[in-house]
Amino acid sequence: MEQTPKGNRVHIGFFGRCNAGKSTLINMLTDQPVSLVSEVAGTTTDPVSKSMEILPLGPVVITDTAGIDDTTELGTLRMEKTEEVVKKINLAVYVLRTDEEPTADDMHWLGLLKQNNVPIALFINEINVENKEKVESNTANKDKVELNTDDKEKLESNTSAYIKSHKGLSDLATVIGSADFTSNTKRIELLDLLGGLTPLDVEGDQTLLQGLVEEGDTIILVCPIDSAAPKGRLILPQVQTIREILDYKGLVLVCQTEELPAMINSLKYPPKMVICDSQAFDQVDELTPDTIPLTSFSILMARFKGKLQDLVAGVEAIKNLKAGSKVLISEGCTHRRQCDDIGTVKIPNLLKKQGHTDLQLEFTSGGAFPKDVSQYDLIIHCGACMLTRREVLRRIECAVVQGTPIVNYGVLIAALHGILERAISPFIDEIKG
C-alpha cells in the first residue's frame, strides 16, 4: 500500500476552526502522531499532507488544513490554500466542538464543500464544559484522558442536543459522528462512517486498460530509454500498464523503438495492441502494421483520469495558432527537467517544426494551475499520472467552462504527426458516445 501512487489514493481534507480538534482527530483516526497538537490557535498554518493507509478506505492522502478563522497577517493566503484543497479532495471531514456554536465561517465552508459535491463527514468533538480542563491538558501532550461513564453519557447527550439545535448541519453533512477526540473509544465507529462514504471522482473499479485486454492477449509496450528517462526504472504509466496486463492474465512484451519490428516478427500471431511513449509516436507508427491497433500511455492516462472527448476536441485549436498565441504547457508533477524535457523542450520544438512559431509559452508544474485560463489560446497538459482524477477533471472543466481548448501530450503529438485517428481508434465509440 505504501507504493500506491499519490494520484491513485483517496484524498481526504480535514477542515474546521482553529483548535476545533482537527489535528487531534487525525492522530486519533490514524492511531499515530501525524499532526502537531497544541493549545496555541493556528498551530497548523499551511495544508499538510501525508500518505498512509486507513481501513476500510485503503491507501489515502490526508490533508490537515489551517483553521478557517485564521485572523493572522497571512490568514487570507492560508484560506486561499485551503480553498485549493477543497477543489482537489475526494472526501471531507469537517470538525466542530460541542462547547462552541457553529459560526458563519463554519457554514460558509460547509456550504463550499457541498457546492463542490464533496461528501462530508461532520465529526463533532465531544467536549463537556465540566471536563474541558481535562481535555485541554491532553492537547499539551500529556496522558490520555479517560472519562467515567457519567461523563460519557453527558457528552453524548450534549452532542445529540447540539445537532438538533443546529438543523442546518444535517442538510450540509453526508454523515454525522461524534467522539471525544482525545480517546480512541469511538475510533472504529468514526472510521466506519468515513469508510461508508463514496469518494468523489475516483477511479473506483475503472482500470487503465478497461475493455482493451482479455486473458491470453499479447500487448507490446514500446518504452524508449533516453536522457529524459528516469535512471534504473520505468515511468509510472508504463509500470501501471504492465501490472494491469498481468492482472488480466495477458502477455506483456517490452522493447525499445528500434526493436519493435523484430519483436512483432518473432510472434506467431500479431499482438492485440501496441502501446508506446508519445514521444516515439511517429517512429512507432511507421514500424507498426496498420492492422495492429496503436495508442500511447498518455492517451490511455487521459481516458483513465479525465475526459478523452474534451481533450480530442481541443485539437481543432492547434490549426488556429499563430504568432503571439498564448499557450499554457502544464505538468502535473515536479520532476527534474532534463535537456530534452518533453514539456519545456520537445513539445515547443515540435510546434515550431510544424510551423507554429513565435508562440507565447507559459509553464506550470505540480499543483499549480491558473484559476483564469481564458487568456490562453490552448492548454497542453501532461498525462497527469501523478494527479488525482478529481484534479484532472477539475482542470479540464475549468478550461471548458472558460472556453479554452485543452489537449494532453499524447493527443497533441499524435495530431501533429497526423496519426490521431489511429491513436484514438481503440476508443472511438467512447469518444463519439
Side-chain angles (χ1 to χ4, degrees):
M1 288 296 182
E2 289 180 359
Q3 301 304 315
T4 302
K6 190 174 181 179
N8 291 359
R9 292 171 177 260
V10 173
H11 286 237
I12 310 171
F14 284 72
F15 304 86
R17 279 175 283 143
C18 295
N19 275 15
K22 300 185 298 297
S23 299
T24 305
L25 174 62
I26 289 174
N27 292 345
M28 184 259 274
L29 292 177
T30 60
D31 203 24
Q32 55 183 294
V34 175
S35 296
L36 179 63
V37 176
S38 169
E39 292 180 19
V40 180
T43 299
T44 303
T45 55
D46 297 315
V48 178
S49 298
K50 182 174 178 61
S51 297
M52 57 174 47
E53 182 181 1
I54 299 181
L55 296 176
L57 288 169
V60 302
V61 173
I62 59 173
T63 300
D64 190 6
T65 64
I68 52 94
D69 55 343
D70 189 336
T71 57
T72 65
E73 187 177 340
L74 296 176
T76 301
L77 292 176
R78 288 171 181 154
M79 291 310 96
E80 289 177 3
K81 290 288 186 182
T82 299
E83 199 167 319
E84 288 178 11
V85 174
V86 171
K87 297 174 182 177
K88 297 178 181 180
I89 56 172
N90 308 111
L91 293 175
V93 174
Y94 201 92
V95 177
L96 293 173
R97 44 192 289 167
T98 54
D99 64 332
E100 294 179 357
E101 296 292 304
T103 65
D105 284 336
D106 289 318
M107 303 310 287
H108 166 76
W109 284 92
L110 281 165
L112 185 63
L113 289 164
K114 183 85 170 179
Q115 182 183 333
N116 281 270
N117 299 315
V118 182
I120 303 168
L122 176 60
F123 288 164
I124 300 172
N125 196 356
E126 295 174 342
I127 297 179
N128 189 307
V129 176
E130 295 175 10
N131 295 296
K132 196 170 181 179
E133 234 175 77
K134 300 179 188 177
V135 175
E136 288 178 345
S137 67
N138 181 61
T139 63
N141 294 323
K142 296 182 180 180
D143 294 335
K144 285 189 176 291
V145 177
E146 292 298 334
L147 303 179
N148 58 41
T149 303
D150 289 340
D151 288 334
K152 291 177 182 177
E153 287 178 355
K154 286 180 182 178
L155 290 178
E156 290 172 1
S157 176
N158 288 345
T159 302
S160 178
Y162 185 90
I163 295 170
K164 287 180 180 178
S165 63
H166 302 95
K167 294 182 179 179
L169 296 177
S170 300
D171 296 331
L172 293 169
T174 312
V175 296
I176 298 177
S178 65
D180 168 12
F181 293 173
T182 63
S183 168
N184 278 356
T185 305
K186 290 189 175 181
R187 177 173 175 268
I188 301 301
E189 180 181 322
L190 295 188
L191 284 174
D192 285 343
L193 282 173
L194 193 56
L197 295 176
T198 302
L200 176 66
D201 290 334
V202 293
E203 288 84 3
D205 295 330
Q206 181 181 343
T207 64
L208 196 63
L209 297 170
Q210 189 166 347
L212 301 176
V213 181
E214 297 177 352
E215 184 175 346
D217 286 342
T218 298
I219 310 293
I220 296 180
L221 308 184
V222 182
C223 305
I225 305 298
D226 56 20
S227 60
K231 187 175 181 179
R233 63 181 177 84
L234 298 174
I235 61 175
L236 182 58
Q238 295 166 351
V239 174
Q240 284 186 261
T241 303
I242 291 172
R243 174 54 194 263
E244 281 205 15
I245 294 171
L246 295 177
D247 286 340
Y248 281 112
K249 297 184 179 180
L251 176 65
V252 56
L253 303 175
V254 183
C255 68
Q256 295 196 57
T257 308
E258 61 274 12
E259 300 164 344
L260 179 59
M263 180 165 283
I264 292 175
N265 291 333
S266 70
L267 298 175
K268 184 176 182 180
Y269 302 104
K272 177 75 171 290
M273 177 181 290
V274 172
I275 303 170
C276 70
D277 190 294
S278 297
Q279 301 175 62
F281 243 149
D282 56 337
Q283 295 170 280
V284 175
D285 173 60
E286 292 179 3
L287 298 173
T288 305
D290 294 339
T291 53
I292 300 174
L294 168 67
T295 193
S296 75
F297 297 107
S298 181
I299 290 177
L300 283 176
M301 196 60 68
R303 172 183 181 244
F304 179 55
K305 293 274 188 179
K307 293 182 178 178
L308 185 55
Q309 300 97 318
D310 290 332
L311 297 173
V312 171
V315 166
E316 287 299 313
I318 300 173
K319 304 172 186 175
N320 301 323
L321 294 177
K322 54 183 181 296
S325 292
K326 292 188 70 173
V327 177
L328 174 66
I329 300 180
S330 185
E331 279 275 358
C333 61
T334 54
H335 64 268
R336 181 170 174 249
R337 290 170 176 167
Q338 306 290 331
C339 59
D340 55 354
D341 179 70
I342 183 170
T344 57
V345 179
K346 289 184 176 178
I347 285 179
N349 287 341
L350 185 56
L351 286 167
K352 287 180 183 177
K353 188 176 179 181
Q354 296 292 328
H356 303 294
T357 57
D358 299 321
L359 299 174
Q360 294 185 52
L361 301 180
E362 293 183 14
F363 303 90
T364 64
S365 61
F369 191 78
K371 289 183 180 179
D372 179 11
V373 295
S374 61
Q375 59 183 304
Y376 300 107
D377 298 291
L378 179 65
I379 298 172
I380 303 172
H381 206 288
C382 70
C385 60
M386 297 303 293
L387 298 177
T388 64
R389 186 167 187 264
R390 168 113 200 268
E391 174 63 5
V392 177
L393 289 173
R394 183 187 74 81
R395 294 185 180 194
I396 293 174
E397 182 182 13
C398 178
V400 171
V401 168
Q402 296 182 43
T404 302
I406 182 170
V407 297
N408 86 337
Y409 288 1
V411 170
L412 173 83
I413 294 172
L416 291 177
H417 285 306
I419 59 172
L420 180 61
E421 187 176 340
R422 182 181 189 185
I424 63 173
S425 61
F427 327 106
I428 197 64
D429 291 338
E430 297 174 20
I431 294 172
K432 288 181 178 179

